[in-house]
Amino acid sequence: MKKQEIEQLFQSRYGDSQENIFIFNAPGRVNLIGEHIDYNGGYVLPAALEFGTTLAVRRRGDRKVTFASDNFPYVVEYDLGELGRSKGGEWVDYPIGVISELGKLDIPLTSGYDLLYYGEIPNGAGLSSSASLEVVTAFALLVMEGKEQDKVEIARLSQRAENHYVGVNSGIMDQFAVANGAKDHAILLMCDTLEYELVPFRTGLYKLVIGNTNKRRGLVDSKYNERRSQCDEALSLLQAHEPKLQYLAHLQPERLRQLETVFDNRVLLNRAKHVIEENARVLASVEALKANDLHRFGELMNASHDSLRDLYEVSCTELDVMVEEARQIEGTLGSRMTGAGFGGCTVSLVHEDAVASFVDQVGDAYRRRTGLEAEFYVCGVGHGVHEIKEEN
Ligand code: GLA
């Protein structure tokens, strides 16, 4: 949305004031490869999307904070003192969680604010609409309060808001990508140290096509937490033989093969196998990207999906159907589910000449096989969180 349009929307919602309106944007994210790795201390390779959440903010003369969204007709209003006392189970829990984490860092809000959010990321599609909401709030309020905006810290505090206030036990990847994304770059993030490298994402004649299954991610929180605890169990079995092993993703694939017998449970072995092999695939993908070998990158995407389906078991029929159909299209180099799984989106790398037939044919076959209507976004890699100062 254009700066001017959001300013108008803001004024029609909140009226005029002497204070200036400031505008910020944080993208959604797509994970290219490295799924269910962040909480296992390994490498992930996400990228920021070109669409996200825009936030318009204006300082108020009193101590009230008001939240509005273009998606909902109502405005939620709190006194600064009562913010964070109770959760409403609504979208405002995300920004309120962030404000409460800022408070814990001794960055209380010094005045009230009017906030208007404009979201372009479909909710529940696994493209990190919640991380985008958190990160844009943290960044905007730090700017408004004249505080330093360290984007790694912003990612961490946004993750804490999600873990502590909203109550989802997610890893750091989404918030990190949304905060630190850079145009035309993927982010190679080492999740245990939070060191990262921006890897040029030059796909030439190939486009990233995100396919939304429009299957709501049912049970995602409980299944997600179950996977996390299975990984913890696998790690403690391995630690009996590798006492220095801190994170599951740090074990080498060859070493896991030697230690297979420590698992009396096939499920835990499969979970560990996925994590350790997926971590290796992330590094191989970065090599492939640096060597401009997109065919290899596509193969690794395919292998990632197959492992998430068979070993980690976080895919679902809708994701598998969409991936299967995507791979049928000549010009598709690779296709996989992205994000937590159990619904949400796929990501494919498709030759630009094949994109139109990809959208038609995959959409048709998907409808026929699942009864659901898919949506597709042909998308470049955008910027991380930023202030929008001039019209662009
Ligand atoms: C969700 C979580 C992330 C990550 C992915 C799976 O998006 O928020 O932290 O664990 O699932 O890779």
Side-chain angles (χ1 to χ4, degrees), residues 296-314:
R296 174 78 186 125
F297 185 68
E299 284 166 11
L300 291 158
M301 290 172 81
N302 287 342
S304 167
H305 182 83
D306 297 351
S307 173
L308 289 158
R309 181 192 59 211
D310 301 336
L311 299 179
Y312 214 67
E313 297 179 282
V314 289

Side-chain angles (χ1 to χ4, degrees), residues 181-286:
K183 183 144 184 62
D184 298 331
H185 286 77
I187 306 165
L188 173 64
L189 171 64
M190 182 66 200
C191 297
D192 61 344
T193 59
L194 298 190
E195 280 165 46
Y196 71 104
E197 179 190 335
L198 294 177
V199 180
F201 191 66
R202 284 183 295 257
T203 51
L205 298 176
Y206 287 86
K207 300 274 177 224
L208 272 185
V209 182
I210 294 172
N212 187 348
T213 60
N214 275 322
K215 158 93 171 29
R216 298 290 295 188
R217 297 175 306 151
L219 287 180
V220 64
D221 296 348
S222 59
K223 292 284 181 193
Y224 186 90
N225 290 341
E226 183 189 272
R227 292 299 177 281
R228 284 196 73 144
S229 42
Q230 288 169 335
C231 288
D232 292 343
E233 259 183 82
L235 175 65
S236 51
L237 287 175
L238 291 164
Q239 278 168 333
H241 301 266
E242 287 285 339
K244 291 206 180 116
L245 186 69
Q246 265 189 309
Y247 288 100
L248 196 50
H250 290 187
L251 198 74
Q252 293 305 310
E254 310 78 74
R255 187 67 183 128
L256 180 66
R257 276 193 284 279
Q258 293 164 356
L259 290 175
E260 276 187 9
T261 50
V262 308
F263 294 93
D264 52 4
N265 172 337
R266 186 94 221 150
V267 171
L268 290 189
L269 172 60
N270 285 347
R271 304 295 189 249
K273 244 185 161 158
H274 165 75
V275 169
I276 290 162
E277 292 173 359
E278 178 82 351
N279 192 52
R281 275 192 288 272
V282 175
L283 294 178
S285 297
V286 170

Side-chain angles (χ1 to χ4, degrees), residues 142-161:
L142 287 168
V143 171
M144 299 302 290
E145 291 289 333
K147 301 288 186 200
E148 190 196 352
Q149 306 107 47
D150 175 327
K151 291 185 180 167
V152 174
E153 286 311 314
I154 288 175
R156 289 158 73 117
L157 86 87
S158 299
Q159 184 201 12
R160 287 198 298 274

Side-chain angles (χ1 to χ4, degrees), residues 15-37:
D16 283 334
S17 145
Q18 304 284 45
E19 296 283 345
N20 290 331
I21 302 169
F22 292 82
I23 306 210
F24 303 88
N25 179 272
R29 70 94 189 90
V30 60
N31 190 20
L32 299 171
I33 196 160
E35 217 64 84
H36 288 276
I37 296 297

Side-chain angles (χ1 to χ4, degrees), residues 29 31 34-39 44 126 128 159 162 168-175 217 224 228 339-341:
R29 70 94 189 90
N31 190 20
E35 217 64 84
H36 288 276
I37 296 297
D38 56 355
Y39 53 84
V44 294
S128 295
Q159 184 201 12
E162 180 131 356
V168 179
N169 207 10
S170 55
I172 188 72
M173 173 174 75
D174 303 345
Q175 289 82 2
R217 297 175 306 151
Y224 186 90
R228 284 196 73 144

Side-chain angles (χ1 to χ4, degrees), residues 1-13 21-27 50-56 68-71 116-121 386-392:
M1 181 181 248
K2 293 239 163 64
K3 186 169 187 276
Q4 236 180 2
E5 285 170 308
I6 195 150
E7 278 169 356
Q8 273 163 12
L9 202 64
F10 189 95
Q11 263 151 355
S12 66
R13 200 55 84 91
I21 302 169
F22 292 82
I23 306 210
F24 303 88
N25 179 272
E50 285 174 327
F51 52 89
T53 311
T54 302
L55 167 58
S69 149
D70 69 300
N71 287 322
L116 174 68
Y117 293 85
Y118 179 84
E120 296 168 322
I121 311 169
H386 58 283
E387 183 175 352
I388 301 178
K389 288 195 170 146
E390 301 300 330
E391 201 59 82
N392 48 19

